[in-house]
Amino acid sequence: MATLDPPIFMFDNARQKFRTELEQCVLKHEVKNVSTFSDFYKTYIGADLEKRTVVDQTLRDLVRMKIEELGNNPLVVEETLKIVSCGITVAKSASCSLSMPFILLGDILDCLTLDLCDQVFTYIEEGVSVWKSSSFYNAGKNYLLRMCNDLLRRLSQSRNTVFCGRIQLFLARLFPLDEKSALNLVSQFNLENVTVFNKDAGNTTLTNEQVDADAMEVESSLNTSSSSIIDYKLYSNIWNLQDMFRYPVQCYTKELWDQFVKNSESVMRVLSSYKIESTGGGNSGNQQSTYKKSYFPKFLTSEKLSDLQLSDRMFRRQIFVQVLILFRYLTGVVKFKGNSLVLNEAQRKWISETETKIHLLMEETPPHGKKFAAYVKHMLGREDFWVTWKNRGCPSFMRGTGKNSTTGGSGDGEPAAKRMKINSINKPSSIADDFINDRPLGLGSPELTKLWAICPDNFESCRSADREYLPSLEQFFSESADQEDPINQIEDQYKLTRDPHFQWKGLRLLSNRSQLFFTSQPVQVQFKSIPDYLGNVIKKISKDFPKPVGAGDPAADKTDEAMEEESPSNGDDAKDTDVLGGGDDDELNEPELEGATEEESQNEESDNISPTPNENDVEVSSEDLDAVAEKSGENWKKLAQLLQLKAKDIKEIQEDSDDNIMRARQTLVTWQDYNDKSATKSALLEALVACGLDDAVKIIK
């Protein structure tokens, strides 16, 4: 029987049917309960991914159609937010993507005006508990952050200050305090915040005559207008300070620091001389209430407003607080501040004195000057805590992973002891607990656990030969040893010892594998190149390398070749003898032949035994060199001459050390290095006898 193929999922048909169901849910105000739609979703034929994609697109279509239908009508906010609420419920039932409610909100904000966006953002603020839930937080935090940043770009920082502040507060409620995207970890400054003012002294409406401090005090006592003490120089000093507040690092430059000190002293002198009187009378309450409501993120820089700003309490307080914040940065410890950005003692003293004057001026500035100064001092003290927290990398303030780890109760009436017992049972054991209780160690994933359990004993695994990645001396230096053999006649420029990489690796390997690197550190290293030093060491260590099968003594090889050359003639003579003598003599001469054969075999055995070398023809060991050096310390120079060392070598040995024993040791090592195989005990004995060092001769013998 032929099997029926499964029905093909048609996107457009499914889109139409799902749209009808969702519209019914919105029209019937069933945005909180979409059980009917959930049943339809489960019974509709198709894969979950295909159906979820259709629902996502259908929700966006509903929002788009509603915006096109209502336009800028205020009802558009209410109608579209119903669809968003429906989308939240559908997402909780796993019938659409978890990110779909955030995408819908982004589409709505992009299509509406700022006035209507304010109402939509109220809905977003009220739903912060939903956005922070475990179901939606990870899926929607990036969408919400991007959405808020897009709104901030559309808003004016001066006109829509309240809306901007609401957005910042919402982000603070949504994200944890240690969220990296909200922290200025590297202490960067907003260099784009440039204050524009009139820098052309020739094109100014103010006078260019400076009024001295005594005149300002007299005018202040007579209650004269502030316009009489405003000149262009004071105007320029006030607004030039803003550039230092924008980028405080400039204060560490001497020229700019001197300019900052000059400008700030001029401004402080004027502000301390021109006092502001505290207003009294029945209207004081109205003036204070107006003062509390006013807020200016940034002041205008027009020259015409200078006399009014000089009498403005908030203008003065803003300058005072800006200077104090700058002082706190200059004298504080900031992690990402360069090591060269340090103040000298004179600069610190001036900052301390100026800071005291500013606190006094703030206390004298009405209204509630002392109270405001105390607030500022407390705020700067709290700022030290945040600077320290930031220098430590902004660690999290959460003490535990549990929801109520720092509180005694959960609010549901459940006893704390019972909750602790339940949490201790359900809490997964740590690796330390498993190790103490001899349980199998789980390392976070099956693959890591499998790798950890390959070898029961980890220390044996570390000592395994499979983990030995350092080559042996024979493996590394075999090719170079063949190149150093004179028989192969390899030119120096083609040897491996000329390669810098080989030199570095060879020295590292010798320091780990060979005692020659430490026991034969001669003085000639000071004037001998690395290739020559390596070539000498390789010749010494190559003597211990195992020789290949068939390789023998060259003299023995030569003897065998000679015997092979002589063997044909001997064979011909034997043939002639057989022809002349016949076969009967062979039987008679068998004993003689047997005796001759025995003699020849004995001679061959004696020839194969190599003669025993003279004991004094071997090289001098390192122990013998130390012993001879101790006995010949005072006569090292005479010994060096008898060993035929050069005057240059003797001079370098004398300058290298003040100890005669060390000089003698260096003399012997230099002689041994120069003569190589010729530096035998017999040659050293001759020099010691000629030098009259009998004690040293006894040691060598």
Side-chain angles (χ1 to χ4, degrees):
M1 294 178 61
T3 58
L4 296 176
D5 295 334
I8 300 175
F9 185 84
M10 302 299 295
F11 184 86
D12 292 335
N13 296 339
R15 184 178 179 182
Q16 195 68 30
K17 294 179 181 179
F18 278 116
R19 180 187 302 172
T20 304
E21 294 293 330
L22 288 173
E23 286 177 347
Q24 292 297 325
C25 293
V26 175
L27 290 175
K28 295 179 181 180
H29 302 284
E30 295 180 353
V31 294
K32 300 296 183 182
N33 185 11
V34 289
S35 57
T36 305
F37 177 79
S38 298
D39 296 338
F40 175 78
Y41 178 87
K42 294 176 182 178
T43 57
Y44 195 85
I45 300 175
D48 287 341
L49 180 60
E50 295 174 338
K51 293 189 291 185
R52 197 177 298 117
T53 304
V54 173
V55 176
D56 292 346
Q57 185 60 43
T58 304
L59 288 171
R60 299 190 72 177
D61 291 342
L62 292 177
V63 171
R64 176 180 54 81
M65 292 167 58
K66 192 62 66 175
I67 294 175
E68 291 177 352
E69 178 184 350
L70 298 177
N72 291 328
N73 192 322
L75 293 176
V76 70
V77 176
E78 181 181 357
E79 296 297 328
T80 52
L81 291 181
K82 286 182 181 179
I83 301 174
V84 174
S85 301
C86 181
I88 294 174
T89 309
V90 172
K92 289 180 180 179
S93 63
S95 300
C96 72
S97 303
L98 291 174
S99 60
M100 184 46 54
F102 308 99
I103 296 175
L104 296 177
L105 288 172
D107 293 342
I108 294 171
L109 292 175
D110 290 341
C111 297
L112 300 183
T113 60
L114 290 177
D115 295 337
L116 298 178
C117 287
D118 194 345
Q119 302 177 30
V120 176
F121 192 76
T122 302
Y123 174 85
I124 297 175
E125 287 178 309
E126 294 173 352
V128 66
S129 59
V130 178
W131 317 136
K132 293 184 68 174
S133 63
S134 58
S135 302
F136 291 101
Y137 181 74
N138 291 328
K141 62 179 182 179
N142 291 332
Y143 287 99
L144 287 173
L145 181 61
R146 190 181 305 114
M147 189 189 312
C148 292
N149 288 332
D150 292 340
L151 271 178
L152 289 174
R153 294 189 190 96
R154 294 172 60 186
L155 295 173
S156 172
Q157 298 292 332
S158 58
R159 295 181 181 180
N160 307 108
T161 53
V162 177
F163 197 177
C164 293
R166 289 171 56 194
I167 295 174
Q168 297 291 350
L169 289 175
F170 169 75
L171 292 175
R173 293 172 58 193
L174 178 66
F175 293 100
L177 193 60
D178 56 340
E179 175 66 28
K180 302 302 181 184
S181 61
L183 300 173
N184 185 13
L185 294 175
V186 295
S187 300
Q188 293 180 343
F189 296 97
N190 182 17
L191 301 182
E192 297 179 358
N193 184 21
V194 179
T195 302
V196 180
F197 64 96
N198 183 19
K199 298 182 180 180
D200 186 6
N203 185 20
T204 178
T205 59
L206 301 174
T207 60
N208 289 321
E209 297 179 359
Q210 183 179 7
V211 182
D212 57 1
D214 296 336
M216 284 187 289
E217 291 179 359
V218 173
E219 291 176 354
S220 176
S221 62
L222 295 176
N223 295 327
T224 57
S225 174
S226 60
S227 60
S228 60
I229 63 174
I230 295 294
D231 61 350
Y232 177 77
K233 188 171 184 180
L234 177 61
Y235 167 83
S236 177
N237 291 339
I238 291 174
W239 296 112
N240 275 323
L241 290 175
Q242 298 299 320
D243 191 60
M244 289 297 182
F245 301 150
R246 178 182 66 93
Y247 191 45
V249 179
Q250 300 177 93
C251 293
Y252 293 100
T253 306
K254 186 178 184 307
E255 295 78 8
L256 296 177
W257 169 261
D258 295 339
Q259 185 65 31
F260 168 72
V261 171
K262 181 180 178 181
N263 294 338
S264 58
E265 287 181 346
S266 174
V267 173
M268 296 303 165
R269 185 167 56 251
V270 172
L271 296 180
S272 61
S273 301
Y274 185 75
K275 308 282 185 176
I276 297 180
E277 298 287 339
S278 179
T279 57
N283 297 329
S284 60
N286 295 332
Q287 291 177 358
Q288 290 182 5
S289 63
T290 304
Y291 166 76
K292 290 180 181 179
K293 293 180 180 178
S294 59
Y295 170 72
F296 308 99
K298 199 167 184 179
F299 286 87
L300 300 176
T301 59
S302 175
E303 296 176 350
K304 299 178 182 180
L305 301 175
S306 299
D307 55 339
L308 299 176
Q309 291 172 344
L310 193 61
S311 304
D312 187 5
R313 301 174 180 86
M314 290 196 62
F315 182 78
R316 289 182 172 226
R317 286 179 172 176
Q318 178 152 333
I319 294 178
F320 293 152
V321 174
Q322 284 179 318
V323 175
L324 291 177
I325 293 175
L326 175 65
F327 287 171
R328 188 56 58 100
Y329 172 79
L330 296 177
T331 58
V333 178
V334 181
K335 181 179 180 180
F336 290 95
K337 189 192 294 185
N339 296 329
S340 60
L341 304 180
V342 181
L343 298 175
N344 55 38
E345 191 63 30
Q347 291 173 333
R348 290 182 176 273
K349 183 179 179 181
W350 181 86
I351 288 177
S352 178
E353 295 174 353
T354 308
E355 190 172 359
T356 304
K357 294 179 182 178
I358 291 175
H359 281 289
L360 292 176
L361 290 174
M362 283 195 301
E363 293 178 358
E364 296 174 356
T365 303
H368 311 297
K370 293 185 178 180
K371 192 174 183 180
F372 179 79
Y375 283 158
V376 173
K377 190 173 182 179
H378 175 73
M379 179 268 296
L380 294 176
R382 291 287 299 168
E383 189 66 20
D384 291 339
F385 165 77
W386 293 111
V387 171
T388 305
W389 175 71
K390 193 172 181 179
N391 290 337
R392 290 164 53 191
C394 304
S396 176
F397 287 96
M398 303 301 293
R399 293 185 178 179
T401 57
K403 186 176 181 180
N404 300 306
S405 58
T406 59
T407 59
S410 61
D412 54 1
E414 185 181 357
K418 185 176 180 181
R419 289 197 314 276
M420 291 177 61
K421 185 176 181 180
I422 294 175
N423 292 336
S424 62
I425 294 175
N426 296 332
K427 181 180 178 181
S429 60
S430 62
I431 295 179
D433 296 335
D434 294 339
F435 182 78
I436 294 173
N437 298 318
D438 292 332
R439 291 195 296 263
L441 299 180
L443 300 181
S445 67
E447 290 299 326
L448 287 177
T449 305
K450 180 180 177 182
L451 290 174
W452 182 264
I454 288 178
C455 184
D457 191 350
N458 292 320
F459 293 103
E460 285 295 331
S461 177
C462 294
R463 290 192 291 264
S464 175
D466 297 337
R467 297 179 60 85
E468 183 64 43
Y469 303 108
L470 198 65
S472 63
L473 293 174
E474 180 185 359
Q475 292 174 347
F476 188 79
F477 290 114
S478 59
E479 183 179 357
S480 180
D482 295 338
Q483 294 177 354
E484 296 296 333
D485 193 347
I487 298 177
N488 296 326
Q489 297 181 356
I490 303 298
E491 298 181 9
D492 292 342
Q493 59 181 343
Y494 300 112
K495 292 182 179 179
L496 287 175
T497 53
R498 302 288 175 176
D499 184 8
H501 300 284
F502 181 84
Q503 296 172 4
W504 185 82
K505 294 179 180 179
L507 293 175
R508 289 293 300 269
L509 183 62
L510 287 173
S511 65
N512 285 275
R513 293 289 194 187
S514 177
Q515 296 181 356
L516 291 175
F517 186 81
F518 302 99
T519 58
S520 62
Q521 286 287 352
V523 69
Q524 65 269 19
V525 172
Q526 303 174 4
F527 51 86
K528 199 167 188 177
S529 62
I530 294 180
D532 296 338
Y533 171 74
L534 273 179
N536 184 30
V537 174
I538 291 171
K539 289 178 183 177
K540 292 182 179 180
I541 64 176
S542 62
K543 298 175 182 178
D544 299 330
F545 292 169
K547 296 182 179 180
V549 179
D553 189 10
D557 296 340
K558 183 176 180 181
T559 304
D560 294 340
E561 293 175 358
M563 292 175 62
E564 290 177 359
E565 292 176 357
E566 295 175 359
S567 59
S569 60
N570 293 336
D572 295 340
D573 295 341
K575 185 177 181 180
D576 296 340
T577 305
D578 293 338
V579 173
L580 294 174
D584 296 336
D585 295 338
D586 295 338
E587 297 178 359
L588 297 175
N589 295 332
E590 283 182 0
E592 297 179 0
L593 292 173
E594 291 177 359
T597 305
E598 292 177 359
E599 292 178 1
E600 290 177 359
S601 62
Q602 292 177 0
N603 292 334
E604 290 178 359
E605 292 177 359
S606 62
D607 293 339
N608 291 332
I609 298 175
S610 59
T612 303
N614 188 3
E615 294 181 356
N616 293 332
D617 290 338
V618 297
E619 296 183 4
V620 185
S621 64
S622 178
E623 292 78 6
D624 293 338
L625 290 180
D626 294 336
V628 172
E630 292 181 1
K631 299 296 182 181
S632 59
E634 299 295 334
N635 301 315
W636 71 271
K637 188 176 291 186
K638 184 177 180 181
L639 178 62
Q641 294 174 353
L642 292 172
L643 292 175
Q644 298 181 357
L645 293 186
K646 300 178 182 179
K648 177 183 176 182
D649 299 337
I650 297 174
K651 182 179 179 181
E652 290 184 356
I653 294 172
Q654 185 174 5
E655 294 175 353
D656 186 63
S657 177
D658 296 333
D659 187 6
N660 289 329
I661 296 178
M662 181 60 67
R663 291 172 176 174
R665 164 74 177 173
Q666 293 177 350
T667 299
L668 295 172
V669 172
T670 305
W671 165 75
Q672 190 180 43
D673 190 62
Y674 276 157
N675 294 275
D676 199 11
K677 295 182 180 180
S678 301
T680 59
K681 286 187 177 181
S682 59
L684 181 60
L685 283 172
E686 294 179 3
L688 293 175
V689 170
C691 193
L693 300 174
D694 297 334
D695 295 338
V697 172
K698 294 178 182 179
I699 294 174
I700 297 297
K701 288 184 177 181

